[in-house]
Amino acid sequence: LPYPAMTRGAFLDVQRIEVLKGPQGTLYGQNSTGGAVNFIANRPTTEFSGRAILEYGRFNTLRAEGAMSGEVAPNVRVRVAANTLQSGAWQESMTRDDTLGKQHRASGRFLLDWDASEAITVSLNVNGWLDRSDTAAPQLAKIIFSNAANIPVTPPATVYAPLISGDSAREADWAPGVDYSRDDNFFQTALTVGADLGSDIELKSITAYSRFRTDSMVNRSGMASINLDTHFEGKIDSFYQELRLSGGNEPFTWMVGGNYRSDDLVDHARYLSKDATNAIAVGIPYNGSQVNSDQDIEAFGIFANADYKFTDTLSLNLGARYSSEKQRFVGCNFDPGEGDIAA
């Protein structure tokens, strides 16, 4: 999972989570100088097994999770897991009878382990999630007018916005009639093939493709007006390939490998501020501006690691890595189409 936005479904059917201090770039194929966080999912089992969790709480919150695992053919084991979180709104508008904060999330994972022969193993991981939840509105703490001279032509919802007392974490405000729900989704497929080459040497290949999409509106002012709303649209397409060769037995083990990653990232952010004092002038309403960026990233690395165990309490670890990354960036801050900036 090369980008944090992709990790929302990582907690599904987890066996354990490893937090490893850095550097880890010579063990996991990533340039993880600061360390690594590994989400280890439960693997398919030979015996049939299953589990289910059902929780219900405040705001009609329903959380359900289930998993089934077993052998479906000789030397073929499968595990299927899914979860969902559904809840009603928890935020309350300060100025009208309106609520915000609904949650609609779901994720799933399909794992397949196949012992193709005594020397070859194949593991397939197909996973994904979707999020249709509301974005949260902030609480207004203070108003400072950027351009007080424009107050006479500024909407009352901006000028006379009620301040939050702090007595309730549920009280907030946002513009009426605006859809603040997300439309985010993620899909990933990863194939790992291992080959026993004999003499305690193993070759492993990891191939993965990840696809992320996001579309959401966020209120950033805590007001019942378009003071600083932001519409985000974006996508990430990421391809990853890694090869590693490992071998040895205690007291000496070693590994050498390399990886390649190619990413395409598109990010659009439209800033809407037509009701702000610094965006209103007599006869010239200013609806906002837009920032677009397009990035193409190519990266590769080669790494090696060796361990020698002298005693049960004394060992030596040596690691080396070379990494290279090239980024192509095109970005622009421009008029979203109404001609406001030109005016």
Side-chain angles (χ1 to χ4, degrees), residues 80-154:
V80 179
N83 67 11
T84 185
L85 175 64
Q86 307 290 328
S87 76
W90 64 275
Q91 290 191 298
E92 297 176 336
S93 170
M94 290 283 291
T95 58
R96 63 193 183 279
D97 183 14
D98 199 0
T99 57
L100 189 70
K102 297 185 296 294
Q103 296 186 87
H104 303 292
R105 303 177 188 173
S107 58
R109 183 187 298 120
F110 171 82
L111 298 177
L112 183 146
D113 288 347
W114 174 35
D115 299 328
S117 67
E118 292 186 358
I120 297 177
T121 60
V122 179
S123 295
L124 175 66
N125 181 342
V126 180
N127 66 88
W129 54 262
L130 58 85
D131 188 349
R132 302 291 187 267
S133 306
D134 291 342
T135 60
Q139 289 186 324
L140 180 65
K142 187 177 182 179
I143 299 176
I144 300 176
F145 295 109
S146 297
N147 192 338
N150 286 333
I151 289 179
V153 292
T154 303

Side-chain angles (χ1 to χ4, degrees), residues 181-237:
S181 62
R182 298 180 181 274
D183 187 4
D184 295 358
N185 61 82
F186 172 73
F187 168 81
Q188 182 187 64
T189 179
L191 182 69
T192 302
V193 180
D196 186 352
L197 304 182
S199 301
D200 296 319
I201 298 177
E202 181 187 21
L203 176 66
K204 181 172 286 188
S205 168
I206 303 172
T207 306
Y209 169 73
S210 305
R211 178 185 184 274
F212 170 75
R213 299 291 185 270
T214 182
D215 186 347
S216 63
M217 180 74 81
V218 180
N219 180 289
R220 291 180 160 185
S221 66
M223 295 183 179
S225 59
I226 306 297
N227 191 297
L228 187 59
D229 278 18
T230 308
H231 182 206
F232 293 102
E233 287 184 291
K235 70 169 189 174
I236 303 174
D237 292 287

